[in-house]
Amino acid sequence: MLRLIQFLACALIALSVALPGSGRAQESNPGTWYEVDLVNPGLGSPPQNIDRSTPRSSLESFLFRADAEDWEGAAHMLDLGSIEPGKQAEVGPERAEQFSTLMDRKIMINWYDLRDRPDGVDARTKDAPMAGEPRRSLLLWYVKLGDRPVPIRINRVKGATGEPVWLVSRQTVQALPALAEAYGPTELEKSLPAPLRERAVWGLRWWEVIGLPLVLLLTTAIGVVANQLMSRGMNRTHRDAPYSMLVALRGPLTLALMTLCLSLMTSKVVVFSGRIDTVLSPLIILGFVVAVLWLVINFADVVLNRLVKFDGDELSQMGDGQEQRRNIATRISAARRALIVIVVMVGAGIVISEASVMRSLGISLLASAGTATIILAYAGRNVLTNIMASLQIALNQSARIGDKVLFRGYLCSVERIHFTYVQLRVWTGQRLVVPVVDFVAEPFENWTMQEHFLIREVTLRLSHKAEIEALRQRYEEILDGMEMIADRPESRGVYVAKHDVFGQEALFLVPCPDPNIAWSLECEVREKLLAAARDLDAEAEAIFPDAAAAQAA
């Protein structure tokens, strides 16, 4: 019993010792800040009128000090732990001025998203990955340095004594000299008069308000001059020639040159503030990506046009190998459309990825991806449907480039199958443009599909007393005398197809070897049959029915 009492006493003593320690561990909570021995010991005591308790208040205090050009006070908002304490008083103000320049030129802070709580908790939404969790580091922006993006962060730091404070991260402070060299004021900016460096509107300086239109005009002028120089020696008739590599290179090279000039002028000559750079940087990326993808598409077009002719008149001709040529032309045309879709998707991915890295255009795109996807899907549903339908035509080969088709009563040949429409050439030379969805949904006659040979019909309304055998003999003589009629005796024939009170209908078959001349052969046979019927009508009993127009109607 005595031993049991001693054991319980020891347990109570151990529990009493453990509970205070547990409470102290919970109070310290080292996972919510970075622990250091001293916070910027080389700077001395921080000014009394700065607030570093929350991320927003710390950056606001820095901006107030930067506007007053109090770089010694602004240095207290930086984590100078990577600098020797003896040099912090000298280097700190210099780094503070560099960070101020970087914020002005390359960083756009969303103050609504910046937390104003000591623990940095985002209590407004539950969808974010770190929602409701205390933070010890917050990402403000990405600034590209060479080939890599440099994160700009603000960290919560606590010394051995005192409360935790929010400071610009140690890694960001280390990168400031290189960032200042890349994005600091150029020699041209330093040589500008002081009034031009004053603030004008929307946080911009006067030289930016004047310089931005001049840079855009100069870029446009360079593009126009370059396009004119590359156009020399090209006749107007060959300006859009599908076989010219020079013409294919002209547009992409012009765009690439304009984008390069804009990039160099905004990085080497003048460096605009973050408000302008937020728009220009994605545009520069977009310009380079579009130029490369445009060049790929144009190069593919030139190669394909040299390998395969897409001339509808040539493909519509009949003969050995023409069937294969139509198949190849249609499939290559579909492959080109598929290539364009892939290129556009790749280009869009590159632009969004690069813009997202730079935390500019990509943020707004990705943040509204759900709503934008729904809106774009609804607005572009017809376009997407037509694109899928055009690929469907190429896969099922229901209509190929050069095929002779009868669509909505029009006798025409398929000239091109585009993304959203099919271009048909009517026999009169007119072009019929039909949405791909309508062309696929409606039935049409394909006179060239699989078998080139076809039979056309000529129907004549004759009297009940007309002798069909006499016309049959004339019909045989007419076909024998025509050179373009197919040599297929089994495909000839004269039949009484129907009759009514007005007379009988005689059906005359016209075998045609080529769909391209089938309609003209049909018309020629009809003309000669009518002439033969008139001769027989004048020689013997009436062949044509004696009916008034009103009765026939």
Side-chain angles (χ1 to χ4, degrees):
M1 188 66 180
L2 181 61
R3 291 182 179 180
L4 179 61
I5 294 173
Q6 292 176 348
F7 176 77
L8 292 175
C10 292
L12 289 174
I13 294 172
L15 182 62
S16 63
V17 173
L19 284 176
S22 172
R24 285 192 298 270
Q26 186 175 3
E27 288 176 1
S28 63
N29 197 7
T32 60
W33 53 67
Y34 294 98
E35 292 186 349
V36 296
D37 294 334
L38 293 173
V39 177
N40 298 336
L43 295 181
S45 300
Q48 296 296 324
N49 58 348
I50 64 173
D51 184 2
R52 301 182 294 179
S53 61
T54 70
R56 182 182 294 181
S57 64
S58 181
L59 286 180
E60 287 176 344
S61 298
F62 179 86
L63 291 178
F64 292 149
R65 294 285 173 174
D67 290 341
E69 296 186 357
D70 179 12
W71 305 118
E72 288 79 6
H76 285 277
M77 268 65 74
L78 308 181
D79 185 358
L80 304 175
S82 60
I83 302 172
E84 296 180 5
K87 297 182 179 179
Q88 288 180 357
E90 177 185 355
V91 178
E94 179 183 345
R95 298 291 172 89
E97 186 174 1
Q98 292 172 350
F99 185 68
S100 175
T101 303
L102 188 67
M103 287 186 66
D104 184 50
R105 292 172 181 264
K106 301 299 292 185
I107 300 176
M108 290 289 292
I109 296 178
N110 189 343
W111 294 98
Y112 294 100
D113 289 341
L114 195 61
R115 288 77 174 172
D116 197 19
R117 294 175 47 137
D119 55 7
V121 172
D122 186 3
R124 297 174 302 170
T125 178
K126 297 181 179 179
D127 298 332
M130 296 293 293
E133 296 292 331
R135 307 292 299 275
R136 63 175 182 174
S137 180
L138 294 177
L139 177 65
L140 299 178
W141 204 258
Y142 276 109
V143 177
K144 202 163 187 178
L145 183 61
D147 296 332
R148 65 182 181 91
V150 176
I152 307 299
R153 290 184 172 274
I154 182 170
N155 293 342
R156 195 181 189 197
V157 181
K158 184 180 185 304
T161 60
E163 296 296 325
V165 293
W166 286 91
L167 305 175
V168 177
S169 71
R170 185 177 304 181
Q171 293 79 9
T172 301
V173 173
Q174 288 178 326
L176 284 176
L179 293 172
E181 184 178 354
Y183 301 108
T186 62
E187 295 299 326
L188 177 62
E189 295 176 47
K190 295 177 181 178
S191 64
L192 293 175
L196 291 180
R197 296 197 296 270
E198 299 283 337
R199 296 285 181 179
V201 292
W202 200 41
L204 303 178
R205 293 177 172 82
W206 280 110
W207 70 264
E208 293 179 296
V209 176
I210 300 172
L212 180 60
L214 294 178
V215 168
L216 296 179
L217 287 175
L218 181 59
T219 302
T220 304
I222 291 174
V224 172
V225 172
N227 187 271
Q228 293 294 329
L229 291 176
M230 285 187 285
S231 299
R232 289 192 174 185
M234 300 180 186
N235 297 327
R236 290 182 177 271
T237 55
H238 298 293
R239 178 165 295 179
D240 296 321
Y243 306 103
S244 174
M245 188 63 71
L246 292 177
V247 176
L249 292 175
R250 181 178 56 189
L253 289 182
T254 300
L255 179 59
L257 181 60
M258 292 176 62
T259 306
L260 179 62
C261 291
L262 182 62
S263 176
L264 292 176
M265 283 189 290
T266 55
S267 61
K268 303 299 182 183
V269 180
V270 290
V271 179
F272 291 102
S273 62
R275 290 177 174 83
I276 299 178
D277 182 73
T278 302
V279 178
L280 288 183
S281 294
L283 288 180
I284 291 172
I285 296 172
L286 182 63
F288 282 123
V289 172
V290 170
V292 172
L293 300 183
W294 190 3
L295 179 62
V296 171
I297 294 174
N298 282 4
F299 180 79
D301 279 346
V302 172
V303 173
L304 293 178
N305 278 292
R306 290 183 178 181
L307 294 177
V308 179
K309 292 186 182 273
F310 293 93
D311 188 350
D313 292 335
E314 292 187 13
L315 293 174
S316 63
Q317 296 176 4
M318 300 299 109
D320 295 338
Q322 286 295 104
E323 186 82 10
Q324 187 68 15
R325 288 185 61 191
R326 282 193 290 272
N327 289 335
I328 292 175
T330 305
R331 288 170 182 169
I332 289 181
S333 178
R336 176 185 177 274
R337 295 194 298 276
L339 174 65
I340 292 176
V341 172
I342 294 173
V343 164
V344 170
M345 293 178 63
V346 171
I350 293 174
V351 171
I352 293 177
S353 175
E354 289 294 323
S356 177
V357 166
M358 299 182 66
R359 300 274 297 182
S360 49
L361 180 63
I363 285 185
S364 59
L365 288 176
L366 296 176
S368 60
T371 304
T373 301
I374 295 174
I375 295 174
L376 290 176
Y378 181 79
R381 64 191 188 282
N382 291 333
V383 176
L384 295 176
T385 303
N386 279 298
I387 292 175
M388 297 304 298
S390 68
L391 296 178
Q392 176 187 345
I393 294 177
L395 292 175
N396 59 30
Q397 297 286 299
S398 59
R400 302 159 302 181
I401 298 176
D403 278 0
K404 185 73 68 176
V405 297
L406 185 64
F407 180 77
R408 293 180 180 175
Y410 292 96
L411 180 60
C412 44
S413 58
V414 180
E415 276 197 323
R416 295 301 290 265
I417 303 174
H418 297 275
F419 273 109
T420 57
Y421 66 92
V422 177
Q423 181 177 318
L424 305 175
R425 186 178 186 274
V426 186
W427 68 275
T428 56
Q430 299 167 316
R431 263 65 179 184
L432 185 65
V433 178
V434 185
V436 183
V437 174
D438 295 343
F439 187 78
V440 173
E442 296 187 19
F444 58 90
E445 296 182 15
N446 191 329
W447 290 8
T448 320
M449 193 172 184
Q450 293 184 353
E451 180 64 41
H452 301 161
F453 172 81
L454 73 159
I455 299 175
R456 298 298 297 164
E457 301 174 354
V458 175
T459 303
L460 298 182
R461 169 79 69 172
L462 304 175
S463 171
H464 285 110
K465 298 179 181 181
E467 293 185 7
I468 302 300
E469 185 60 32
L471 271 177
R472 183 177 286 110
Q473 294 177 2
R474 294 292 186 93
Y475 160 79
E476 294 290 346
E477 294 174 0
I478 290 171
L479 295 189
D480 291 340
M482 297 178 64
E483 296 181 357
M484 300 302 297
I485 295 296
D487 187 15
R488 289 194 179 187
E490 70 279 3
S491 299
R492 297 184 182 187
V494 178
Y495 306 94
V496 178
K498 63 176 68 174
H499 75 283
D500 53 25
V501 295
F502 298 105
Q504 56 184 337
E505 282 189 3
L507 181 64
F508 301 85
L509 303 183
V510 183
C512 303
D514 189 343
N516 295 305
I517 61 173
W519 187 78
S520 59
L521 285 178
E522 175 189 341
C523 295
E524 186 177 355
V525 171
R526 181 182 291 107
E527 178 185 352
K528 293 183 178 181
L529 283 174
L530 286 173
R534 283 194 298 268
D535 292 341
L536 294 174
D537 184 78
E539 294 175 0
E541 295 183 358
I543 288 182
F544 295 108
D546 186 12
Q551 292 175 323

